[in-house]
Amino acid sequence: QKEVEQNSGPLSVPEGAIASLNCTYSDRGSQSFFWYRQYSGKSPELIMSIYSNGDKEDGRFTAQLNKASQYVSLLIRDSQPSDSATYLCAPPVGALTGGGNKLTFGTGTQLKVEL
Amino acid sequence: SQTIHQWPATLVQPVGSPLSLECTVEGTSNPNLYWYRQAAGRGLQLLFYSVGIGQISSEVPQNLSASRPQDRQFILSSKKLLLSDSGFYLCAWNAPITGIMYEQYFGPGTRLTVT
């Protein structure tokens, strides 16, 4: 089983709709999760961190974490064409001496927001 | 505020030539530093990480090496490039959010094409 699984897409949604991106992970010990957005040809940008079960909202973005099901999702409300990008899910897979962690990345879900 | 720099931005090198990519971080001290590679159409692969000067951990045995000669400088090298070394090379650093929680931020990346 892969450590992180995401539907590669593309996921197409009309402008103004809710985009739902999903991620499952295999490491039951993961305590925090990160969502990155990557525009074509650019480096990943951290857009959401979630550390506990439940929902976390930040503007149009909501991250949902269910540790029992090993499932994390990202909802984007009122989707805009500028949201068109690849979204990467990244749970930590190990703590480092002195602090910090290693992340493992899914292959990402490509989102297309259509006019 | 913290800033991460990478250079060069793009690089075209012949097979068998050496490689040196540099990453520097400003505005923080003793950061954890990471090198990732993203091959075309594929996910992010962690290559190396460092928790301090001179401390390098390799995640994947390959044709590359890393060094950390200064606290905020991380270098990725190769003595002889292979075609398979082509990709998007990303440097990242860990920012502490709380005592045990960290977030990882990426530099702008170096796009390497081996011909």
Side-chain angles (χ1 to χ4, degrees):
Chain A
Q1 182 186 3
K2 291 182 181 178
E3 290 179 308
V4 183
E5 296 205 36
Q6 295 182 257
N7 188 328
S8 62
L11 172 65
S12 294
V13 299
E15 184 178 7
I18 296 175
S20 178
L21 306 165
N22 305 314
C23 172
T24 57
Y25 59 94
S26 60
D27 185 353
R28 289 188 172 275
S30 295
Q31 296 298 311
S32 52
F33 295 85
F34 306 93
W35 282 98
Y36 288 81
R37 177 177 63 200
Q38 187 175 24
Y39 292 114
S40 180
K42 301 295 185 181
S43 63
E45 173 192 9
L46 180 65
I47 57 171
M48 183 68 81
S49 306
I50 184 166
Y51 302 102
S52 58
N53 270 333
D55 296 358
K56 178 184 177 183
E57 186 174 320
D58 184 359
R60 296 187 295 113
F61 298 97
T62 299
Q64 299 174 320
L65 174 59
N66 184 325
K67 292 185 180 181
S69 300
Q70 295 175 255
Y71 174 89
V72 61
S73 65
L74 180 70
L75 301 178
I76 305 175
R77 291 181 300 281
D78 187 25
S79 295
Q80 301 297 310
S82 59
D83 295 326
S84 297
T86 297
Y87 290 80
L88 305 171
C89 167
V93 291
L96 302 182
T97 302
N101 45 44
K102 295 189 294 183
L103 301 181
T104 185
F105 286 83
T107 53
T109 297
Q110 185 183 5
L111 172 66
K112 292 184 177 180
V113 180
E114 299 169 334
L115 296 171
Chain B
S1 64
Q2 298 87 1
T3 308
I4 182 167
H5 302 278
Q6 285 187 249
W7 63 90
T10 59
L11 191 60
V12 180
Q13 291 285 96
V15 168
S17 64
L19 173 74
S20 181
L21 303 181
E22 190 165 341
C23 168
T24 59
V25 182
E26 295 178 357
T28 186
S29 60
N30 197 31
N32 291 339
L33 297 173
Y34 307 80
W35 278 112
Y36 290 85
R37 177 172 61 201
Q38 189 173 39
R42 303 187 66 178
L44 283 164
Q45 180 185 34
L46 178 62
L47 303 175
F48 301 94
Y49 65 89
S50 171
V51 299
I53 296 173
Q55 300 180 63
I56 307 296
S57 296
S58 174
E59 287 292 293
V60 182
Q62 55 200 308
N63 188 42
L64 301 169
S65 62
S67 63
R68 185 168 175 176
Q70 300 181 41
D71 181 42
R72 290 171 286 178
Q73 184 184 30
F74 205 20
I75 297 172
L76 183 70
S77 304
S78 174
K79 292 182 179 179
K80 290 185 178 181
L81 284 169
L82 306 172
L83 285 174
S84 57
D85 291 323
S86 293
F88 192 33
Y89 286 83
L90 293 154
C91 181
W93 69 286
N94 245 166
I97 304 302
T98 67
I100 58 172
M101 296 179 181
Y102 290 76
E103 293 181 342
Q104 201 165 117
Y105 294 91
F106 287 87
T110 294
R111 192 163 301 281
L112 171 66
T113 303
V114 182
T115 60

